[in-house]
Amino acid sequence: MPAEPVAPPAATEDDPGGRTVRRLVTVVALAAVLPALYLPGLVHDFFDLKIYMRAMDWWAAGHPLYDYVQPDRVQGALYFTYPPISALLLRPFALLPLGVTVAVFTALTAIGVVVTTRWLVTPLVARHDLPRPFSLTVAVLLAFAVESTRETITFGQINMLLVVLILADLLFAVPQGRRWAGVGVGLATALKLYPGIFILYLLATRRWRAAAVAAATATLATLLAAAVAPADSWRFWTHELWATDRVGRTDYTGNQSLFGLLSRITAPEKPSQLPWLLLVVVVAGYGLWRAARAARAGDALTGLALTGLVGGLVSPITWTHHLYWFIPAVVVLVDAALDADRGTAEGTRHRRWLLTLAVGTAFVIIYGVVSFQDWGVAPARTDNLGEFVARNAYVLLSLLLLAVLPTRHRRRPAGAPATP
């Protein structure tokens, strides 16, 4: 009796080989896109880092640090604008060949992107049982694709050092009640001032000891610099800090702050200070209130993301490379979407809304506001709605996220450590 033909096994969704191929294609596709995203920024040629190194050479030659000036076709004139403690940190790099300094800064930034992305994404991967190597690889590639990362690398900026200090403090040291909690925020504040918004966040969340440690650390670092460079320190804190014309044109599209938005409306004239100050008070108050509520609910990541967005909005100058804080906001949105209840129509709608917002935010911060647009070198008003949205995309997105970024309520098991 002839054997009956055996039917092939039914296809199932459990196809490890197919999943592996799809994941590999995804990773290769993302990696292939990165060079195209970085191509426009190559014209920066580590411009900011070169200014730092030339200013350090000028300083080492015996000139006053804050007398250094360099002409620029967009900003007119550029100066060294960081606090003296930053100059002390940068000065040893001026002893190295410029190519070595560029390589060191680029490598440190890349390491910082990988480390901080792992900090942000690992808890999400664990909670939702996602494939760890694939998820982390995709997240890292997307973090490198974001305009703020690209601008940090191609300009030779120090922003990722500040991000590492802040995240280490607010995701680990502060929630775990470590003795050194606040040191990272304090050092970041001493180096570049705008991280001082996170000291206000610590106060708003009633982390009194951490706030005191942060303030004391920033003060001690500043006093150390004053002891080494008293004349330059006195000049910075009494004059240069308040001379906003040294930082650059406030109406330039790369300045994605509330003051930048107002400046683009009134250009070439400067905007009135009173409306800006009123906006700052309202935005800072609301944003820090929401951040404090998120922290009290156990959501440290949402708290620091909201605070970072507030800092970008209220600072007079917020260059695109400062705006790292969209990245943790996207992680929050994805995590909240995966947590949404799929068993109800309302839960499904909520999940779709969160995923749409996450994808939309990712698109905006990857395409950016300056990488692929030539906004010219002369002050120009925004005279139509489309241009207003395009030139203020980060400002408008920050305001939207301040209002709608969800708080994820966490409850720790008894005895469990307070990790993010």
Side-chain angles (χ1 to χ4, degrees):
M1 181 176 180
E4 295 182 2
V6 179
T12 67
E13 294 183 2
D14 188 13
D15 180 10
R19 284 201 306 270
T20 301
V21 171
R22 289 192 294 272
R23 291 171 185 173
L24 182 60
V25 169
T26 300
V27 169
V28 171
L30 287 174
V33 169
L34 280 180
L37 293 173
Y38 275 82
L39 187 60
L42 295 181
V43 298
H44 300 328
D45 194 25
F46 304 99
F47 184 76
D48 290 357
L49 181 57
K50 289 179 179 178
I51 289 180
Y52 303 156
M53 295 303 101
R54 290 166 187 157
M56 294 305 99
D57 291 338
W58 167 272
W59 196 29
H63 303 292
L65 174 60
Y66 296 103
D67 277 354
Y68 179 80
V69 61
Q70 178 173 313
D72 179 70
R73 72 183 187 93
V74 176
Q75 306 289 356
L78 294 174
Y79 304 82
F80 185 82
T81 57
Y82 289 174
I85 188 65
S86 295
L88 295 179
L89 178 68
L90 291 168
R91 188 161 177 172
F93 289 99
L95 303 176
L96 303 174
L98 181 60
V100 174
T101 300
V102 167
V104 169
F105 269 64
T106 303
L108 291 177
T109 296
I111 292 170
V113 171
V114 173
V115 169
T116 53
T117 304
R118 181 177 177 273
W119 289 349
L120 297 179
V121 175
T122 296
L124 181 151
V125 169
R127 277 197 296 274
H128 302 288
D129 195 25
L130 301 177
R132 181 183 173 92
F134 172 70
S135 300
L136 290 177
T137 302
V138 168
V140 167
L141 290 173
L142 290 174
F144 273 109
V146 171
E147 185 180 60
S148 63
T149 306
R150 303 197 308 264
E151 296 277 286
T152 294
I153 291 174
T154 55
F155 272 111
Q157 273 287 342
I158 66 170
N159 297 300
M160 282 311 301
L161 168 63
L162 308 181
V163 169
V164 168
L165 290 171
I166 293 167
L167 290 188
D169 222 353
L170 297 182
L171 290 181
F172 299 100
V174 171
Q176 294 173 6
R178 302 292 186 182
R179 291 183 178 180
W180 49 274
V183 169
V185 168
L187 286 175
T189 301
L191 290 170
K192 212 170 177 181
L193 299 183
Y194 81 82
I197 191 68
F198 290 98
I199 298 180
L200 296 182
Y201 168 68
L202 290 172
L203 292 173
T205 57
R206 301 178 184 178
R207 305 276 191 169
W208 310 119
R209 186 180 188 281
V213 169
T217 300
T219 301
L220 288 174
T222 300
L223 292 176
L224 172 63
V228 176
D232 290 304
S233 294
W234 176 260
R235 177 173 170 179
F236 176 81
W237 293 107
T238 60
H239 183 266
E240 308 305 338
L241 174 61
W242 316 104
T244 55
D245 58 321
R246 291 175 59 93
V247 182
R249 269 180 38 212
T250 59
D251 68 283
Y252 176 57
T253 304
N255 177 22
Q256 289 291 304
S257 67
L258 290 170
F259 196 71
L261 180 148
L262 294 175
S263 297
R264 286 184 283 276
I265 293 175
T266 63
E269 290 80 21
K270 289 289 182 67
S272 172
Q273 296 285 324
L274 182 58
W276 172 64
L277 290 174
L278 291 175
L279 278 174
V280 164
V281 170
V282 172
V283 169
Y286 176 72
L288 289 175
W289 171 74
R290 284 215 65 214
R293 288 190 65 190
R296 286 195 293 271
D299 193 350
L301 185 56
T302 295
L304 71 87
L306 288 168
T307 304
L309 295 174
V310 168
L313 287 168
V314 303
S315 174
I317 297 284
T318 300
W319 302 128
T320 51
H321 51 75
H322 294 158
L323 288 170
Y324 167 85
W325 307 104
F326 290 119
I327 294 177
V330 170
V331 174
V332 169
L333 290 169
V334 172
D335 190 27
L338 294 175
D339 272 337
D341 184 8
R342 304 184 191 184
T344 65
E346 182 180 356
T348 300
R349 285 195 298 269
H350 185 55
R351 182 169 181 266
R352 288 174 180 171
W353 154 247
L354 291 172
L355 286 176
T356 300
L357 185 56
V359 172
T361 299
F363 174 81
V364 171
I365 63 178
I366 289 173
Y367 183 79
V369 295
V370 295
S371 294
F372 303 100
Q373 300 288 338
D374 182 6
W375 298 110
V377 298
R381 297 189 183 190
T382 50
D383 54 5
N384 63 72
L385 180 60
E387 189 174 274
F388 176 82
V389 173
R391 294 187 70 187
N392 299 291
Y394 289 165
V395 182
L396 301 175
L397 182 58
S398 295
L399 292 171
L400 174 64
L401 290 174
L402 280 191
V404 303
L405 194 67
T407 295
R408 303 158 304 157
H409 295 269
R410 304 295 179 203
R411 293 291 181 266
R412 298 198 315 270
T419 53

